[in-house]
Amino acid sequence: MTGIFTGSFDPFTIGHDDIVRRALPLFDKIVIGIGVNERKKYMFTADDRMAQISRLYAAEPKIEVRTYNDLTIDFARRENASYIIKGVRSVKDFEYEREQADINRQLGGIETLLLYSDPRYSAVSSSLVRELMHFGRDVRDFLPT
Protein backbone atom coordinates (compact mmCIF):
# COMPACT_ATOMS: atom_id res chain seq x y z
CA MET A 1 0.00 0.00 0.00
CA THR A 2 1.32 3.42 -0.99
CA GLY A 3 0.78 6.72 0.78
CA ILE A 4 1.75 10.14 -0.48
CA PHE A 5 2.92 12.94 1.78
CA THR A 6 2.59 16.23 -0.06
CA GLY A 7 3.47 19.85 0.51
CA SER A 8 5.72 22.62 -0.72
CA PHE A 9 8.32 21.70 1.93
CA ASP A 10 10.05 25.07 1.63
CA PRO A 11 11.96 23.94 3.69
CA PHE A 12 11.30 20.40 4.95
CA THR A 13 11.20 20.69 8.76
CA ILE A 14 11.58 18.39 11.75
CA GLY A 15 7.78 18.36 11.95
CA HIS A 16 7.52 17.01 8.39
CA ASP A 17 10.18 14.41 9.17
CA ASP A 18 8.30 13.32 12.29
CA ILE A 19 5.09 12.75 10.31
CA VAL A 20 6.92 10.72 7.64
CA ARG A 21 8.68 8.54 10.20
CA ARG A 22 5.46 7.93 12.14
CA ALA A 23 3.56 7.04 8.95
CA LEU A 24 6.26 4.74 7.62
CA PRO A 25 5.15 1.59 9.51
CA LEU A 26 1.65 1.98 8.04
CA PHE A 27 2.70 1.78 4.38
CA ASP A 28 4.75 -0.36 2.02
CA LYS A 29 5.90 2.83 0.34
CA ILE A 30 5.62 6.57 0.99
CA VAL A 31 6.11 8.99 -1.87
CA ILE A 32 6.99 12.47 -0.70
CA GLY A 33 5.48 14.81 -3.27
CA ILE A 34 6.98 18.28 -3.50
CA GLY A 35 4.28 20.52 -4.90
CA VAL A 36 5.41 23.19 -7.33
CA ASN A 37 2.99 26.05 -7.95
CA GLU A 38 4.10 28.45 -10.67
CA ARG A 39 2.22 31.31 -8.94
CA LYS A 40 4.04 30.85 -5.65
CA LYS A 41 7.44 32.26 -4.75
CA TYR A 42 9.79 29.83 -3.02
CA MET A 43 12.96 30.36 -1.01
CA PHE A 44 14.45 27.08 -2.28
CA THR A 45 14.19 25.65 -5.79
CA ALA A 46 12.29 22.43 -6.35
CA ASP A 47 15.61 20.72 -7.14
CA ASP A 48 17.11 21.95 -3.85
CA ARG A 49 14.10 20.73 -1.87
CA MET A 50 14.17 17.38 -3.65
CA ALA A 51 17.90 16.96 -2.99
CA GLN A 52 17.52 17.84 0.72
CA ILE A 53 14.68 15.38 1.27
CA SER A 54 16.28 12.64 -0.85
CA ARG A 55 19.50 12.89 1.20
CA LEU A 56 17.54 12.66 4.43
CA TYR A 57 15.90 9.38 3.39
CA ALA A 58 18.71 7.92 1.26
CA ALA A 59 18.94 4.86 3.52
CA GLU A 60 15.16 4.26 3.61
CA PRO A 61 14.07 2.07 0.66
CA LYS A 62 10.37 2.60 1.39
CA ILE A 63 10.57 6.35 0.66
CA GLU A 64 10.66 7.99 -2.76
CA VAL A 65 10.75 11.73 -3.47
CA ARG A 66 9.17 13.40 -6.51
CA THR A 67 8.01 16.82 -7.63
CA TYR A 68 4.64 17.57 -9.18
CA ASN A 69 2.92 20.65 -10.55
CA ASP A 70 -0.70 19.59 -10.89
CA LEU A 71 -3.47 18.65 -8.46
CA THR A 72 -2.54 16.42 -5.54
CA ILE A 73 -5.30 14.02 -6.54
CA ASP A 74 -3.73 13.62 -9.99
CA PHE A 75 -0.32 13.02 -8.40
CA ALA A 76 -1.94 10.43 -6.11
CA ARG A 77 -3.42 8.60 -9.11
CA ARG A 78 -0.07 8.52 -10.93
CA GLU A 79 1.58 7.08 -7.82
CA ASN A 80 -1.23 4.54 -7.26
CA ALA A 81 -1.59 5.90 -3.75
CA SER A 82 -4.17 4.52 -1.36
CA TYR A 83 -3.93 7.46 1.04
CA ILE A 84 -2.81 11.06 1.27
CA ILE A 85 -0.86 11.63 4.49
CA LYS A 86 -1.11 15.05 6.15
CA GLY A 87 0.16 16.47 9.42
CA VAL A 88 -2.05 18.64 11.58
CA ARG A 89 -0.63 21.11 14.11
CA SER A 90 -3.70 23.13 15.04
CA VAL A 91 -7.43 23.61 14.59
CA LYS A 92 -6.64 25.93 11.68
CA ASP A 93 -4.62 23.16 9.99
CA PHE A 94 -7.40 20.68 10.72
CA GLU A 95 -10.07 22.81 9.04
CA TYR A 96 -7.93 23.37 5.96
CA GLU A 97 -6.95 19.70 5.67
CA ARG A 98 -10.54 18.56 6.21
CA GLU A 99 -11.69 20.68 3.27
CA GLN A 100 -8.88 19.35 1.09
CA ALA A 101 -9.66 15.77 2.16
CA ASP A 102 -13.34 16.22 1.24
CA ILE A 103 -12.45 17.52 -2.23
CA ASN A 104 -9.86 14.81 -2.85
CA ARG A 105 -12.31 12.10 -1.79
CA GLN A 106 -15.02 13.60 -4.03
CA LEU A 107 -12.73 14.03 -7.06
CA GLY A 108 -10.71 10.86 -6.78
CA GLY A 109 -12.11 8.59 -4.10
CA ILE A 110 -8.88 8.75 -2.10
CA GLU A 111 -8.87 9.05 1.67
CA THR A 112 -6.66 11.34 3.71
CA LEU A 113 -4.90 10.14 6.83
CA LEU A 114 -4.37 12.94 9.36
CA LEU A 115 -1.59 12.58 11.89
CA TYR A 116 -1.45 15.08 14.70
CA SER A 117 1.91 16.70 15.20
CA ASP A 118 4.05 15.85 18.15
CA PRO A 119 3.49 18.72 20.62
CA ARG A 120 7.24 19.46 20.50
CA TYR A 121 6.84 20.43 16.83
CA SER A 122 3.43 22.09 16.80
CA ALA A 123 4.92 25.59 16.50
CA VAL A 124 7.38 24.62 13.75
CA SER A 125 6.33 25.59 10.25
CA SER A 126 8.15 26.17 6.98
CA SER A 127 7.01 29.80 6.97
CA LEU A 128 8.42 30.35 10.47
CA VAL A 129 11.73 28.80 9.45
CA ARG A 130 11.88 30.95 6.30
CA GLU A 131 11.24 34.08 8.36
CA LEU A 132 13.97 33.19 10.85
CA MET A 133 16.35 32.52 7.95
CA HIS A 134 15.47 35.86 6.39
CA PHE A 135 16.61 37.59 9.58
CA GLY A 136 19.81 35.57 9.78
CA ARG A 137 18.81 33.35 12.69
CA ASP A 138 20.13 29.84 13.23
CA VAL A 139 17.41 27.38 12.21
CA ARG A 140 19.30 24.11 12.69
CA ASP A 141 17.02 23.10 15.57
CA PHE A 142 14.01 23.19 13.23
CA LEU A 143 15.49 21.19 10.35
CA PRO A 144 16.28 17.46 10.19
CA THR A 145 19.96 16.63 10.45
Side-chain angles (χ1 to χ4, degrees), residues 1 5 44 47 77 80 86 92 102 105-106 116 123 136:
M1 181 168 46
F5 181 56
F44 298 98
D47 288 342
R77 282 188 187 124
N80 296 312
K86 298 302 280 189
K92 181 180 172 185
D102 289 346
R105 188 173 46 254
Q106 182 178 347
Y116 294 101

Side-chain angles (χ1 to χ4, degrees), residues 25-144:
L26 306 174
F27 295 94
D28 299 316
K29 177 171 81 170
I30 292 179
V31 179
I32 299 173
I34 302 166
V36 178
N37 182 337
E38 304 301 326
R39 297 175 307 238
K40 193 172 178 183
K41 185 177 178 185
Y42 297 103
M43 179 173 271
F44 298 98
T45 68
D47 288 342
D48 289 341
R49 290 177 277 156
M50 188 162 174
Q52 176 208 12
I53 298 167
S54 295
R55 276 193 308 273
L56 180 62
Y57 298 111
E60 180 48 68
K62 290 174 52 173
I63 295 178
E64 297 176 8
V65 184
R66 304 200 200 306
T67 60
Y68 70 102
N69 61 0
D70 54 351
L71 293 174
T72 298
I73 192 64
D74 295 329
F75 178 68
R77 282 188 187 124
R78 280 196 307 282
E79 296 299 328
N80 296 312
S82 303
Y83 291 90
I84 297 170
I85 305 160
K86 298 302 280 189
V88 177
R89 295 170 298 155
S90 65
V91 172
K92 181 180 172 185
D93 281 357
F94 175 80
E95 285 299 324
Y96 176 79
E97 296 301 346
R98 184 189 57 78
E99 290 173 1
Q100 295 300 305
D102 289 346
I103 293 297
N104 288 328
R105 188 173 46 254
Q106 182 178 347
L107 292 177
I110 191 165
E111 293 291 338
T112 299
L113 175 66
L114 299 178
L115 294 177
Y116 294 101
S117 71
D118 183 307
R120 294 175 295 173
Y121 309 131
S122 63
V124 178
S125 68
S126 293
S127 57
L128 170 74
V129 173
R130 283 193 311 272
E131 178 137 354
L132 292 171
M133 291 173 79
H134 174 77
F135 287 102
R137 295 301 181 125
D138 183 354
V139 296
R140 285 180 288 189
D141 288 345
F142 305 114
L143 301 174

Side-chain angles (χ1 to χ4, degrees), residues 13-25:
T13 69
I14 55 176
H16 296 130
D17 180 50
D18 181 62
I19 295 295
V20 169
R21 294 190 189 278
R22 288 173 38 216
L24 202 53

